[in-house]
Amino acid sequence: ILHELENNDRVIGGISQKSSNFAKSFYSKFCSGELIITDCKTAEMVKLSENSFRDVNIAFANELSMLCDEVDVDVHELVSIANRHPRVNILIPGCGVGGHCIAVDPWFLASQNENITKIIQTARIVNNAKKDWVVKKIKKTVLEIEKDLKRSVSIACLGLSYKPNIDDLRESPALDIVMDLINSNMKVLVCEPNLKSHPNIDLHSIHDITLKADLITILVPHKEFYNLKFSKKMTLDFCKALSS
C-alpha cells in the first residue's frame, strides 16, 4: 500500500484550476508518479472505469471457470496455456468479487445508463452469481462425501476477507459463502489468519482444520495457505492457492 501511495500515477480533478493546482502541489510532496490534471467529472469517470474494467476481466475468468467445470477441463491449466499468447492475459478466477471499489463502482456507471452498459451490468451479475455457484458446488460435494462415508461431514473454509492477505470483509464473497453454509446447518470450520475473532463465526487454526475437516475449501489465497498438503482430504480450491 505504501509503495502504491508513493509511486502510482494520480488523476486530479478539482472543481477549479486553482483547487487542482493545490492538490497537485500536495501530492507532489510524497508521490513520485505522474500527476495528471483533468476536470472533476473526467477524474471521477476514470476511477469508476478502472474498477469496472477490472470487474469485467474478473467476470470473464469466473465465467470461464464455471464453463470448464461443466466440460471437465482444469481452468488453471487452461489459463496458464492461454496466457502464453502475447495478447492474452486471463486472470485467475476466484469465488466472486468483493471490496468497497470493484464490487460497487460499476453500478455508478450503470445505474443511470442501463441501456448502454450491458457489459458492465453483466459482469456484476456474473461475479455476484459466482459465490452462489461455489455454495452449490460445496453442497453437492458434501452430499457425495456423506453418501460414501454414511455420516455427516465437516467443511473447512479457508479465508473470509475479500482479497488475499488483508482483514477487510467488506462485500466479501467468501464471507457470504461461509454464512450461507452455516445458515444451511452444515458443519463449518473457518480459518481466517488475518482476524483474531469474528462476532458471528468461530475461527479455527489451520492445524485444527487439518485434523477435523472432511472437506477443505480454499476461498481466499492467503499466503498461509500456499502449498498446503492435506493428506486423505478432499479439497476444493476456488482460487488456486495450493500451487501459488
Side-chain angles (χ1 to χ4, degrees):
I1 294 176
L2 182 60
H3 176 82
E4 293 184 358
L5 183 66
E6 294 178 347
N7 294 280
N8 282 13
D9 295 343
R10 299 289 169 179
V11 179
I12 300 170
I15 58 176
S16 66
Q17 188 64 43
K18 182 179 179 180
S19 61
S20 293
N21 290 337
F22 181 83
K24 184 175 182 179
S25 176
F26 170 74
Y27 273 107
S28 66
K29 297 180 186 302
F30 58 86
C31 181
S32 61
E34 185 176 354
L35 304 177
I36 305 160
I37 291 181
T38 184
D39 61 89
C40 58
K41 182 183 289 187
T42 301
E44 182 63 21
M45 189 81 166
V46 167
K47 177 63 175 176
L48 299 179
S49 298
E50 288 171 348
N51 287 324
S52 297
F53 175 84
R54 295 168 68 192
D55 196 43
V56 169
N57 280 270
I58 295 169
F60 178 77
N62 281 334
E63 188 168 85
L64 196 60
S65 71
M66 293 184 282
L67 174 62
C68 285
D69 188 74
E70 287 292 322
V71 298
D72 194 26
V73 168
D74 183 337
V75 66
H76 300 293
E77 181 183 5
L78 181 146
V79 168
S80 176
I81 296 172
N83 283 350
R84 290 174 174 268
H85 190 291
R87 292 182 296 280
V88 174
N89 184 26
I90 304 171
L91 302 179
I92 300 297
C95 64
V97 172
H100 61 291
C101 292
I102 301 180
V104 176
D105 284 1
W107 290 122
F108 288 104
L109 294 180
S111 61
Q112 296 183 16
N113 303 279
E114 294 182 1
N115 293 331
I116 53 175
T117 54
K118 299 302 183 183
I119 292 176
I120 294 171
Q121 293 177 63
T122 300
R124 282 282 73 234
I125 292 169
V126 170
N127 284 330
N128 280 335
K130 183 63 186 292
K131 59 188 177 185
D132 298 324
W133 181 89
V134 169
V135 168
K136 291 178 181 178
K137 182 75 173 177
I138 293 172
K139 290 181 177 180
K140 180 182 177 181
T141 305
V142 166
L143 289 175
E144 293 171 352
I145 297 174
E146 289 181 337
K147 184 177 180 180
D148 290 337
L149 298 180
K150 295 181 173 54
R151 63 170 175 82
S152 61
V153 302
S154 57
I155 313 157
C157 292
L158 305 190
L160 279 182
S161 59
Y162 80 82
K163 69 177 183 178
N165 307 318
I166 64 169
D167 61 359
D168 196 333
L169 303 180
R170 286 176 292 180
E171 304 294 330
S172 171
L175 178 60
D176 289 342
I177 290 166
V178 167
M179 292 307 303
D180 189 305
L181 296 173
I182 292 174
N183 292 333
S184 299
N185 296 316
M186 308 191 84
K187 296 181 179 179
V188 183
L189 303 170
V190 181
C191 178
E192 175 47 74
N194 298 288
L195 290 177
K196 292 182 178 179
S197 63
H198 187 279
N200 302 314
I201 300 171
D202 292 331
L203 300 181
H204 299 261
S205 68
I206 296 175
H207 176 72
D208 286 343
I209 282 177
T210 303
L211 293 176
K212 299 175 182 178
D214 299 293
L215 173 66
I216 305 291
T217 64
I218 304 180
L219 302 176
V220 187
H222 294 312
K223 62 181 183 297
E224 290 86 353
F225 305 150
Y226 288 0
N227 302 311
L228 289 175
K229 303 297 181 184
F230 300 108
S231 60
K232 299 182 180 179
K233 299 286 183 180
M234 179 167 289
T235 305
L236 295 175
D237 186 358
F238 294 106
C239 52
K240 201 57 177 175
L242 290 183
S243 60
S244 298

